[in-house]
Amino acid sequence: MQHFKRKREETGKKMKEIASLIQYRPNVKVVDATLRDGGLVNDFYFTDEFVKALYLTNLRAGVDYMEFGYKASSEMFDADKFGKWKFSRDEDIRAIVGENATDLKIAVMADVGRCDYKTDIINRADSPIDLIRVATYLNTIPAAVEMIEDAAGKGYEVSCNIMAISNTQEGDLKVALDILGQTSVDVLYIVDSYGAIYPEQMARLADIYMNAAVKYGKKVGVHAHNNQQLAFANTIEAVGDGVDWLDATYASMGRGAGNCAMELLLGFLRNPKYNVYPAIQFVDSYMNKLKAEGVVWGYDLQYLMTGLLNQHPRTAIQFTKEKRNDYAEFYREVVAQD
């Protein structure tokens, strides 16, 4: 009987969480990561027309933040091999948004060890950028702390994405969150880099992150990948557990299997500031055109396999580039690597 009582209590808790989804939540922030995560699919070669249309779509749809790309080091990456959103120079952003006298805020991602943040990220007062998203692995947290404080000292909002947490021990994660909680970071992100997390696990992770957020006065965000077709499910699970910052991309465009679809998320959120129709228009006019031109992303068996095995999708990405279709043999290969 005690077991069933506990299960009823857990079910009741979940029902309360789901009920919170149909209420207006002013703290929810939707972040468009199409240029940044989607840029990993086409080496950031987007036309200015596409980027301008995406910006205007985000304005019409009520999206809160638009991530333009990476602040990658021009010393480490050859500018001739990538589109300009690999580097997200301030002048290129300003050419799209002007002074951006709107409610939409501009973000870029700075990857630990792959950017020259001390020189390439200037003072916020002189930049069109509002938010710096620091991306780190668990073993580079000290370097991430330096980047967070540098960005905050220059006047930016700052978030931190701890990548590959599906391969992280819970104790190590809690230590990392304690370290980050004592910094100037504003948002701590749950990142399912491998698309390996299930909603039940997302609930547990959200609880760990929310406890740290409450302790240190931070917000929590979620960035999900769709290897097992769970990016949307994991995102709305996180919302029900109190996570406020939600990443999405139009037509799920993103590395490998892609991300939570913006059109799904905006259609789901019961929030009057969001409008799904512009998102649908953009997918119709621009995202479908990208696919017709041969840009490849989205759920497929090879990405499912790496997600099931909690592996980085690099092998699945290579499988896709080589236009292989021997899925069973690929599964044997990735199992052997596990």
Side-chain angles (χ1 to χ4, degrees):
M1 283 296 293
Q2 190 66 30
H3 169 75
F4 289 110
K5 180 181 178 182
R6 185 169 66 252
K7 291 298 289 183
R8 283 197 302 271
E9 289 172 351
E10 290 173 357
T11 300
K13 179 174 180 287
K14 284 294 180 186
M15 289 301 291
K16 289 179 183 176
E17 291 167 354
I18 297 301
S20 71
L21 295 174
I22 64 174
Q23 299 172 358
Y24 171 60
R25 285 178 57 184
N27 292 330
V28 165
K29 305 292 183 186
V30 172
V31 180
D32 167 35
T34 305
L35 283 188
R36 201 271 308 166
D37 214 318
L40 294 168
V41 174
N42 66 349
D43 291 330
F44 303 90
Y45 285 111
F46 296 99
T47 65
D48 287 352
E49 177 197 353
F50 178 97
V51 178
K52 184 69 172 184
L54 178 59
Y55 171 69
L56 295 175
T57 295
N58 283 324
L59 286 174
R60 293 172 57 214
V63 170
D64 299 280
Y65 289 80
M66 177 176 171
E67 186 179 40
F68 267 72
Y70 284 98
K71 275 284 186 183
S73 169
S74 57
E75 297 294 319
M76 297 179 65
F77 297 94
D78 186 347
D80 293 333
K81 295 181 179 179
F82 296 95
K84 57 189 170 186
W85 306 113
K86 177 77 170 178
F87 308 95
S88 299
R89 297 178 181 89
D90 286 33
E91 58 268 29
D92 291 329
I93 297 174
R94 206 180 292 280
I96 300 295
V97 308
E99 294 304 312
N100 189 36
T102 74
D103 292 332
L104 175 65
K105 293 187 176 182
I106 305 303
V108 295
M109 181 165 281
D111 225 336
V112 169
R114 298 178 179 178
C115 64
D116 303 315
Y117 64 93
K118 291 184 179 180
T119 54
D120 289 346
I121 298 176
I122 63 175
N123 288 332
R124 184 182 182 183
D126 302 317
S127 171
I129 299 166
D130 301 287
L131 169 69
I132 302 297
R133 284 158 54 97
V134 175
T136 182
Y137 288 101
L138 208 66
N139 65 338
T140 56
I141 290 291
V145 169
E146 288 188 17
M147 291 175 63
I148 288 166
E149 298 302 350
D150 180 81
K154 291 172 178 173
Y156 293 95
E157 299 173 56
V158 190
S159 66
C160 185
N161 292 25
I162 308 176
M163 298 180 287
I165 58 169
S166 57
N167 275 344
T168 299
Q169 296 295 320
E170 187 173 303
D172 294 339
L173 178 60
K174 288 180 177 178
V175 169
L177 291 173
D178 273 328
I179 293 171
L180 293 171
Q182 297 174 65
T183 71
S184 301
V185 76
D186 299 293
V187 190
L188 300 167
Y189 256 88
I190 305 168
V191 184
D192 183 15
S193 301
Y194 302 163
I197 293 171
Y198 294 97
E200 294 83 357
Q201 295 168 299
M202 180 59 71
R204 174 62 181 161
L205 287 166
D207 185 60
I208 293 170
Y209 274 73
M210 290 301 295
N211 285 338
V214 170
K215 181 178 179 181
Y216 294 107
K218 310 299 184 182
K219 296 291 186 181
V220 178
V222 63
H223 180 88
H225 278 264
N226 205 38
N227 297 60
Q228 300 185 83
Q229 296 199 11
L230 290 172
F232 177 56
N234 280 327
T235 300
I236 63 174
E237 171 63 45
V239 173
D241 295 326
V243 172
D244 284 332
W245 286 54
L246 315 173
D247 282 17
T249 63
Y250 289 89
S252 296
M253 188 183 188
R255 186 200 65 196
N259 304 96
C260 175
M262 180 67 77
E263 57 275 17
L264 276 173
L265 183 61
L266 295 182
F268 171 81
L269 290 172
R270 273 58 170 182
N271 192 321
K273 72 177 178 179
Y274 300 124
N275 182 3
V276 71
Y277 182 59
I280 292 170
Q281 287 181 304
F282 185 78
V283 171
D284 186 20
S285 299
Y286 288 92
M287 304 308 294
N288 290 339
K289 183 180 177 183
L290 279 184
K291 286 205 165 186
E293 291 170 350
V295 182
V296 178
W297 74 87
Y299 168 82
D300 210 335
L301 279 176
Q302 62 269 32
Y303 296 117
L304 166 66
M305 295 172 197
T306 58
L308 284 171
L309 295 169
N310 195 15
Q311 293 182 4
H312 192 288
R314 62 175 62 89
T315 54
I317 292 170
Q318 187 61 33
F319 178 95
T320 305
K321 286 182 177 179
E322 293 173 1
K323 298 183 179 180
R324 290 174 58 182
N325 57 13
D326 53 335
Y327 295 100
E329 178 58 30
F330 178 70
Y331 185 67
R332 286 163 54 91
E333 292 171 10
V334 293
V335 167
Q337 296 175 22
D338 197 37

